[in-house]
Amino acid sequence: MSDLVLFWHRRDLRITDNIGLATARQHSSKVVGVFCLDPNILERDDVAPVRVTYMIGSLQELQQRYVQAGSQLLILRGDPVQAIPHLAEALNAKAVFWNWDVEPYSQTRDRAIIATLKDKGIQCLTHNWDQILHSPDEIRSGSNTPYTVYTPFWKNWSSKPKAKPVETLHNVEGLTEAEQELAQKAGVKALPTAKDLGFFWDADLIIAPGEAAAQAKLAEFTAKAITEYQEQRNFPGVNGTSQLSAALKFGVIGIRTVWQTTLEALENSRSEETTTSIRTWQQELAWREFYQHAMYNFPELADGAYRATFKNFPWETNEEHFQAWCEGKTGYPIVDAAMRQMNESGWMHNRCRMIVASFLTKDLLINPQWGEKYFMQKLIDGDLSANNGGWQWSASSGMDPKPLRIFNPASQSQKFDPDAEYIRQWVPELRSMDTEYLVTGKITPLERHAVGYVKPIVDHQKQQQLFKQRYQQQKAIG
Ligand code: FAD
């Protein structure tokens, strides 16, 4: 009989193209999966019910996949620092394997677990970079420092050969009945529902959970939309992006599989426009990786501004303005449509994420950390690195060298929602209004009153001047 190896799933809820899992399989034919519902994460105040619902749905499918492969996925609930070594010891496991993660919490937790497992004489193999195509140590500048600017990062990153998808878990042994009893005594439980955990989400999910749905979504996107991505990706009223972000956040699809699909699409491309579109989508995947590398190399990003000018910025603390922004009641149609899309569906189009983040920080002058947290409370794809990267970029507090980028809600609407389709979809009280009013935002008080739409909470022109002034003052202080 083979030695038991436990594979601990975290942000890799799949058996296909999973580096750590494939490595575990090379070490033993008896591989059992484990997932730990961690109160240090689930009891934070920035967890979105929609995200937990997606995660639990993906775990349900993962359990079925383990059974099909001949084994089991065990569910624990508790602090993994105790729960994982305790289970491994109870089952007399020879080793515990997992994939490494860039987030600061994850690394502190993992180091504690490695120490405990070592004390117990249980091996662990953890340094697999599974969720990114290149490790942060591999992509360094000429002077061997991490990149802080995207373009040179992309040049280096895209020039490197990428690994192919790895083998799917199959034909493994699971726990015997006696071992299953031991597992239960060691804390293994049935998979709860999101509701059991206190998270309520009754609307449909924007992407169905699980590997099969993510693979189908990738196939659907690469069959057509990827070829028009360059043209369509900025229009929130058009279904022009992949909507794979939740699957990528939870590792429900492997990044090597995704990359391989883009290479096949490039091979089949018959026009320059198509090739450009596919390359543009590849660049978005590289943005994801850029932010993960940044979080790994500069973990202090998680705690606030990267740039000195913004470390003590005199942000406003106007709770009423913040609440209006959260609820989509700012009186700026495109901002309100976007916030309502996120509140109602758990997802927001990238163009709109940039617009509302600019509005919160440059028009309302509110600390980007407030917005970052609110996004985490609402997004199905809420992810520390990508969300923090997006907020730091929008607030100009991050690595990006263009500090005074300010989005004008009216010109953004005119360019990217010219027929106001998106605005009408998410702000029903504005449906009957002329497009011209909606995209310019020039709605008279009388018309606002007639449809019951709020008046603008601030004046964009005045606020951007105020922001610039404060920025110059802060810069002078140094
Ligand atoms: P596509 O356009 O199809 O892109 C493919 C994949 O590339 C995405 O699924 C995502 O994994 C990655 N990607 C694309 N754009 C970016 C980007 N700018 N930064 C990092 N990765 C990117 N993305 C998240 O996954 N989680 C977040 O919490 C998150 N918060 C954001 C907050 C702000 C303020 C901003 C401006 C952006 C944020 N993004 C976040 C990035 C981006 O908006 C989403 O990844 C994208 O909208 C998801 O839709 P999609 O899957 O259809 O993307």
Side-chain angles (χ1 to χ4, degrees), residues 155-173:
K155 279 194 187 134
N156 185 342
W157 183 90
S158 60
S159 70
K160 296 241 183 317
K162 315 264 179 286
K164 294 240 167 7
V166 296
E167 207 181 349
T168 304
L169 184 77
H170 66 284
N171 204 12
V172 272
E173 255 174 83

Side-chain angles (χ1 to χ4, degrees), residues 221 229 233 240-246 248-249 281 284-289 291 347-351 353-354 357 375-376 379 381-384 386-391 393-394:
F221 176 71
Y229 184 73
R233 72 194 175 113
T241 67
S242 70
Q243 295 186 332
L244 276 168
S245 46
L248 284 165
K249 186 246 153 35
W281 198 62
E284 297 305 319
L285 299 174
W287 270 109
R288 170 182 172 273
E289 207 144 317
Y291 287 138
W347 188 81
M348 191 197 289
H349 191 279
N350 181 58
R351 169 63 40 191
R353 295 188 202 207
M354 296 191 286
F375 266 34
M376 288 305 281
L379 284 173
D381 59 22
D383 170 77
L384 174 65
N387 193 39
N388 180 272
W391 275 96
W393 185 93
S394 301

